[in-house]
């Protein structure tokens, strides 16, 4: 393969939301489906990308995790646990793959103005703008800008880092 055709940046955004999984009632298969999707499959995709990035001698992996990795919500044990695990996995990959010029970082969005939020699916609008110091809910562009930073050469010396995009909710 020619190096010009090797992968530069991988953004991992897929997730199983594990909504309404009551911890005393959730079937273990449903719980593990969240864990496998959010941790296992993200690892497999990152590893496959890293093989190309290693050959190239550079690359960036950006995980979209969540502020739920640090601030948990009710009946979301599998989701919150998996998002927290992604933070540790990203830091571990940064240590393991840094010698190959591969950077690994995380973007932690809070609530985002999506159709789910607009239509109040599963009471998504409980996350009202007035709960954030900026009194605003993030839009797609806010998250995309954070991802762009980690994927660009502007962050060439940044790895194992986290960037929270939640209007200050974690503060």
């Amino acid at each position: 393969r020619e190096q010009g055709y090797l992968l530069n940046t991988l953004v991992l955004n897929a997730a199983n939301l594990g909504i309404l999984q009551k911890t005393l009632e959730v079937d273990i298969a449903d719980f593990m489906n969240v864990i496998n999707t959010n941790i296992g499959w993200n690892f497999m995709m990152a590893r496959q990308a890293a093989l190309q990035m290693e050959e190239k001698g550079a690359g960036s992996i950006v995980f979209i995790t969540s502020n739920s990795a640090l601030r948990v919500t009710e009946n979301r044990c599998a989701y919150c646990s998996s998002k927290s695990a992604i933070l540790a996995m990203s830091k571990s990959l940064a240590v393991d793959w840094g010698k190959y010029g591969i950077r690994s970082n995380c973007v932690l969005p809070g609530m985002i103005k999506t159709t789910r939020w607009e239509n109040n699916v599963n009471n998504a609008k409980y996350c009202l703008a007035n709960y954030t110091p900026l009194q605003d809910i993030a839009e797609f562009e806010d998250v995309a800008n954070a991802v762009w930073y980690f994927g660009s050469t502007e962050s060439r010396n940044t790895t194992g880092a986290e960037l929270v995009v939640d209007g200050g909710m974690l503060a």
Side-chain angles (χ1 to χ4, degrees), residues 7 31 40 121-122 124 150 170:
L7 191 63
F31 184 92
V121 175
N122 294 325
F150 281 141
L170 282 179

Side-chain angles (χ1 to χ4, degrees), residues 75-89:
N75 297 323
R76 306 280 304 278
C77 181
Y79 177 76
C80 295
S81 297
S82 68
K83 291 301 186 171
S84 185
I86 290 171
L87 295 178
M89 179 171 60

Side-chain angles (χ1 to χ4, degrees), residues 16-22 34 75-76 79 116 121-122:
N16 181 326
L17 298 176
I19 294 173
L20 297 177
Q21 290 189 345
K22 296 181 179 180
V34 175
N75 297 323
R76 306 280 304 278
Y79 177 76
R116 179 176 161 236
V121 175
N122 294 325

Side-chain angles (χ1 to χ4, degrees), residues 67 108-111 129 131-138 142 164-171:
N67 69 356
L108 289 75
M111 185 57 69
Y131 289 133
T132 70
L134 292 180
Q135 298 185 358
D136 194 15
I137 300 296
D142 300 317
V164 178
V165 182
D166 71 353
M169 183 176 283
L170 282 179

Side-chain angles (χ1 to χ4, degrees), residues 43 63 85-98 104 160:
F43 170 77
F63 293 93
I86 290 171
L87 295 178
M89 179 171 60
S90 177
K91 289 176 187 298
S92 182
L93 298 179
V95 169
D96 290 350
W97 298 342
S104 177

Side-chain angles (χ1 to χ4, degrees), residues 64-157:
I64 307 296
T65 181
S66 170
N67 69 356
S68 292
L70 304 172
R71 179 195 58 80
V72 301
T73 53
E74 186 177 21
N75 297 323
R76 306 280 304 278
C77 181
Y79 177 76
C80 295
S81 297
S82 68
K83 291 301 186 171
S84 185
I86 290 171
L87 295 178
M89 179 171 60
S90 177
K91 289 176 187 298
S92 182
L93 298 179
V95 169
D96 290 350
W97 298 342
K99 61 187 163 225
Y100 307 117
I102 302 169
R103 297 175 291 113
S104 177
N105 295 291
C106 291
V107 174
L108 289 75
M111 185 57 69
I112 305 169
K113 291 177 188 169
T114 63
T115 303
R116 179 176 161 236
W117 188 81
E118 293 291 338
N119 294 332
N120 201 29
V121 175
N122 294 325
N123 201 27
K125 283 194 175 180
Y126 80 89
C127 183
L128 300 174
N130 62 353
Y131 289 133
T132 70
L134 292 180
Q135 298 185 358
D136 194 15
I137 300 296
E139 297 183 11
F140 289 114
E141 292 81 6
D142 300 317
V143 178
N145 287 334
V147 169
W148 178 87
Y149 170 73
F150 281 141
S152 74
T153 56
E154 300 295 320
S155 66
R156 68 171 193 79
N157 199 35

Side-chain angles (χ1 to χ4, degrees), residues 27-66:
D27 183 275
I28 190 65
D30 293 336
F31 184 92
M32 291 308 297
N33 189 33
V34 175
I35 299 298
N36 290 335
T37 299
N38 296 356
I39 303 169
W41 291 113
N42 276 310
F43 170 77
M44 293 299 295
M45 294 293 294
R47 184 172 69 181
Q48 290 308 114
L51 292 171
Q52 287 189 32
M53 293 173 181
E54 177 188 17
E55 187 176 334
K56 189 172 194 161
S60 176
I61 297 171
V62 183
F63 293 93
I64 307 296
T65 181
S66 170

